[in-house]
Amino acid sequence: MSLFQSLAKNQSVQAFFGPENPKEPYLDGIKYNCVAPGKRFQSMFNLSGGEKIVAALALLFVIHSIQPAPFFVLDEIDVALDNTNIGKVASYIRDKTSSLQTIVISLKEKFYSHADALIGICPDIGR
């Protein structure tokens, strides 16, 4: 099972890298395309916000598996996710806590309810 399939908890999802210029790949960048659950192959530009986030996180975690970072700070990665995908991403991060230290900034209880520790920061409303 690929990391993207593991993160999305769906066997039908796939992600592909390819050169933007196949004839002279050193002149241009790299395309990252995905097959989202229940959809056909398409560019990242055509995915929904939540699908883009899951695909981008999959890419981030693959890079981490090759070149581990000491920790991640992820700012509101759940903003465009529905409750189902919030649960998938939160449980994936939770399952990886032995190899991945993560600080996630979130405003959604569905996400932060999976945390080991919470730190609340809010403005002084008494002023």
Side-chain angles (χ1 to χ4, degrees), residues 102-122:
T102 310
I103 297 171
V104 179
I105 299 165
S106 175
L107 299 175
K108 295 187 178 181
E109 183 179 355
K110 176 80 173 171
F111 199 91
Y112 63 74
S113 65
H114 294 272
D116 289 333
L118 293 174
I119 299 172
I121 300 173
C122 64

Side-chain angles (χ1 to χ4, degrees), residues 58-69:
L59 177 59
L60 178 69
F61 294 143
V62 165
I63 292 169
H64 173 75
S65 71
I66 296 166
Q67 182 86 29

Side-chain angles (χ1 to χ4, degrees), residues 120-127:
I121 300 173
C122 64
D124 183 9
I125 56 176
R127 291 185 174 193

Side-chain angles (χ1 to χ4, degrees), residues 1-122:
M1 181 184 307
S2 76
L3 192 141
F4 189 31
Q5 292 170 335
S6 176
L7 181 60
K9 298 194 184 317
N10 189 315
Q11 296 293 319
S12 66
V13 300
Q14 296 178 13
F16 304 95
F17 281 109
E20 288 180 347
N21 182 349
K23 293 183 180 181
E24 298 183 79
Y26 48 85
L27 292 178
D28 291 310
I30 297 172
K31 289 190 286 186
Y32 181 45
N33 298 311
C34 300
V35 178
K39 295 189 177 179
R40 60 181 170 72
F41 176 81
Q42 53 191 324
S43 164
M44 284 286 285
F45 297 110
N46 297 329
L47 297 178
S48 72
E51 291 165 341
K52 285 178 185 178
I53 288 174
V54 172
L57 287 172
L59 177 59
L60 178 69
F61 294 143
V62 165
I63 292 169
H64 173 75
S65 71
I66 296 166
Q67 182 86 29
F71 64 91
F72 284 140
V73 176
L74 304 172
D75 186 11
E76 294 190 44
I77 58 171
D78 56 350
V79 72
L81 297 178
D82 59 13
N83 284 338
T84 302
N85 284 322
I86 288 173
K88 290 176 185 179
V89 170
S91 67
Y92 180 85
I93 291 171
R94 182 119 178 106
D95 291 344
K96 299 297 180 189
T97 55
S98 63
S99 64
L100 177 66
Q101 295 181 58
T102 310
I103 297 171
V104 179
I105 299 165
S106 175
L107 299 175
K108 295 187 178 181
E109 183 179 355
K110 176 80 173 171
F111 199 91
Y112 63 74
S113 65
H114 294 272
D116 289 333
L118 293 174
I119 299 172
I121 300 173
C122 64

